[in-house]
Amino acid sequence: MEYRIIKSPSPGTIDILNRRKGSGASTPIGKVDAIGLVQGRIIEMVCAADVAEKAVGVTVEDIKGSCPQNMIMLAIFGDTASVEAAMEEIRLREKRGGIEW
């Protein structure tokens, strides 16, 4: 998996993610302090979404790639500390080999 965190995302970045998120642009993201991006295989993304939401109070959206029916990336939205905590929990679980996601 690959990981990135965007702190204080620009309006343009929010617009890009709004257009590509699985729930569609009709439910806008709104103002967030940080966005965590996680990219990998679909099985990893489903498990990572579960881990992030259980770890802290974040919102997770699937982000569509060039093939709209494939989820290849997650965006984790929230305050900076929560996004960082969610990303760290995902990394820890991956290091353990995905056991007990």
Side-chain angles (χ1 to χ4, degrees):
M1 287 193 283
E2 292 183 53
Y3 311 90
R4 301 286 188 281
I5 293 180
I6 300 170
K7 296 179 181 176
S8 301
S10 70
T13 300
I14 298 289
D15 287 344
I16 290 168
L17 293 172
N18 262 324
R19 287 190 304 271
R20 301 192 70 79
K21 64 189 180 67
S23 65
S26 61
T27 51
I29 295 166
K31 175 112 173 76
V32 293
D33 294 332
I35 302 169
L37 301 173
V38 184
Q39 181 174 315
R41 297 178 306 151
I42 191 163
I43 190 169
E44 295 167 332
M45 296 303 92
V46 171
C47 292
D50 186 62
V51 167
E53 288 181 339
K54 287 177 179 174
V56 289
V58 293
T59 300
V60 179
E61 285 276 356
D62 60 310
I63 304 298
K64 303 298 182 186
S66 58
C67 186
Q69 65 270 23
N70 291 329
M71 178 176 60
I72 59 167
M73 187 168 71
L74 294 177
I76 301 167
F77 302 98
D79 64 80
T80 302
S82 296
V83 170
E84 288 175 339
M87 297 285 282
E88 184 59 26
E89 186 63 24
I90 292 167
R91 282 189 195 102
L92 288 172
R93 298 287 181 102
E94 183 186 24
K95 283 182 183 177
R96 286 190 225 149
I99 298 171
E100 295 181 23
W101 277 88

